[in-house]
Amino acid sequence: MAAPDELFCWEGDWGLPSVSTDSLVVLAYAQFAGAPLKLRKISNPWRSPSGSLPALRTNQKETLSRPSEIIIHLRKQKYNADYDLSAKEGADSLAFISLMEEKLVPALIYTFWIEPKNYVDVTRRWYAEHMPFPLNFFLPGRMQRQQLEKLRLLRGDESLEAGEELEKELYRDAAECMNLLSQRLGSHKFFFGDSPSSLDAYVFGHLAPVLKSKLPNGKLQQHLKSLDNLTNFCTNILLLYFPRDGRESSSQKTSPQPEAGDFDHVPNKRRKQFLSALVALGAMLSYALLSGMVSIQHVQREALEEPPDMQPIGSHDHEEEGDD
């Protein structure tokens, strides 16, 4: 019997199996389709076979990163949550997924990665607290720049400026999208009958973080909570398919990861942290040299200076979890 495919994804919080939309989409679809994946929840994308999350490493050693590619691969393996959909339902599913990409995703990027208070108090704080040192100093900022570039591409505007006008426009489009999803769902449990499909996975993956996170600027969250059927939809999926995550959310940071080994015992813990820091520091310096961020003649001087605006956030007592 072939070994199961391995799915690498961001770890969870807020009562969710993952804090990442793309990871949630893949996790939900795999659950709906009954795909037997070996799950590795981590907080260091450099430990992923693709350098990003989510990532699926197949038993043929192929690596897939985009949720759509992973779902197509699972369908080819006969794990198809859309098997019972009619041609019209399949077309409707694609149309709604495209609508979310156009209308909802830009607002989600803005909410979590651009809006100043949400980014500083929630997004950057979470990733900085969960990533291992020293990656937590610079990876959240790099991820933010990548998300800003994605927003510019989605909007077709290279000179995109964050501000009140942009926020209003993005939230208006997102509210319209959520209203259409709410109308399509109606009083049904799932979008196409009694069984969840890929559309249910996409809607859950995009809306659950908005519903469950503690956002200082919660305009998008307030509108979602006004749509009872969509909030119940997300809650029901969590109860049916991810019941452990809601129960473990309060103790998640202190619970041992399933892959943790002897390194997590007290005598070895500090040694592991020290070695991990050395390896990560070497990787960071190599990245800086290769990308031209630092020239060789300045490495010694700059290494002794603390970079501006790179203050560590929160405690690092749990940095080792999820990276074993």
Side-chain angles (χ1 to χ4, degrees):
M1 184 177 179
D5 295 339
E6 288 183 278
L7 176 63
F8 296 76
C9 66
W10 285 105
E11 62 183 38
D13 206 344
W14 315 324
L16 297 174
S18 176
V19 298
S20 155
T21 287
D22 285 350
S23 293
L24 284 174
V25 170
V26 175
L27 285 169
Y29 184 87
Q31 284 287 88
F32 299 163
L37 302 177
K38 184 174 182 180
L39 184 59
R40 297 184 182 274
K41 291 187 180 183
I42 60 178
S43 57
N44 179 358
W46 289 7
R47 298 290 298 273
S48 156
S50 67
S52 62
L53 295 168
L56 184 77
R57 182 162 60 197
T58 72
N59 55 28
Q60 303 297 316
K61 303 306 178 187
E62 182 185 8
T63 298
L64 306 171
S65 294
R66 294 170 58 87
S68 57
E69 295 173 341
I70 296 173
I71 288 174
I72 290 171
H73 169 78
L74 293 178
R75 284 176 180 162
K76 290 178 180 177
Q77 305 302 310
K78 312 299 183 188
Y79 300 108
N80 188 355
D82 295 341
Y83 182 78
D84 293 326
L85 297 189
S86 67
K88 182 184 183 305
E89 289 171 336
D92 287 348
S93 180
L94 291 175
F96 274 107
I97 291 171
S98 296
L99 177 70
M100 283 189 285
E101 187 71 16
E102 180 185 351
K103 299 286 190 180
L104 184 58
V105 170
L108 295 182
I109 293 174
Y110 188 90
T111 295
F112 285 96
W113 292 98
I114 311 300
E115 203 287 326
K117 284 193 68 65
N118 289 350
Y119 173 66
V120 172
D121 293 350
V122 177
T123 308
R124 194 183 84 167
R125 180 180 296 276
W126 191 91
Y127 285 101
E129 287 181 346
H130 288 75
M131 285 179 177
F133 173 84
L135 303 185
N136 56 348
F137 278 91
F138 68 92
L139 272 189
R142 192 173 80 170
M143 292 168 68
Q144 184 194 39
R145 290 189 293 274
Q146 290 171 342
Q147 290 294 325
L148 179 58
E149 183 60 28
K150 181 179 178 181
L151 179 59
R152 285 173 172 154
L153 288 172
L154 288 171
R155 299 277 300 172
D157 185 359
E158 284 297 321
S159 59
L160 191 71
E161 290 288 338
E164 190 174 334
E165 286 303 313
L166 176 63
E167 180 180 295
K168 283 182 180 178
E169 185 179 346
L170 293 178
Y171 286 176
R172 184 177 63 246
D173 286 348
E176 178 187 333
C177 179
M178 285 191 278
N179 290 342
L180 290 171
L181 288 170
S182 178
Q183 291 170 18
R184 180 62 182 83
L185 179 62
S187 60
H188 300 291
K189 189 175 183 180
F190 302 111
F191 280 89
F192 301 112
D194 296 328
S195 300
S197 65
S198 58
L199 177 58
D200 297 275
Y202 274 93
V203 174
F204 171 75
H206 286 78
L207 295 185
V210 179
L211 180 65
K212 301 291 285 184
S213 57
K214 303 286 193 293
L215 296 171
N217 182 341
K219 294 177 184 176
L220 209 58
Q221 190 177 65
Q222 289 168 8
H223 186 77
L224 174 58
K225 288 183 176 180
S226 73
L227 303 171
D228 291 340
N229 61 344
L230 284 183
T231 59
N232 291 335
F233 167 83
C234 293
T235 302
N236 288 336
I237 287 180
L238 284 170
L239 290 172
L240 288 170
Y241 294 95
F242 304 100
R244 290 180 57 195
D245 294 283
R247 292 198 304 267
E248 294 178 356
S249 60
S250 61
S251 59
Q252 191 172 29
K253 292 183 180 180
T254 57
S255 61
Q257 294 296 311
E259 292 183 82
D262 292 338
F263 278 126
D264 279 327
H265 294 305
V266 173
N268 294 314
K269 190 172 182 180
R270 291 191 180 278
R271 180 174 62 180
K272 182 196 175 187
Q273 290 176 327
F274 178 70
L275 292 174
S276 297
L278 283 180
V279 171
L281 183 59
M284 182 177 71
L285 290 175
S286 298
Y287 171 82
L289 287 168
L290 290 172
S291 62
M293 290 168 57
V294 181
S295 61
I296 294 176
Q297 60 266 35
H298 290 128
V299 167
Q300 185 176 5
R301 179 174 63 83
E302 293 187 5
L304 296 174
E305 297 175 355
E306 185 174 359
D309 195 29
M310 286 190 176
Q311 299 302 315
I313 302 175
S315 166
H316 303 302
D317 291 339
H318 59 276
E319 284 165 3
E320 70 275 13
E321 64 177 54
D323 295 315
D324 302 285

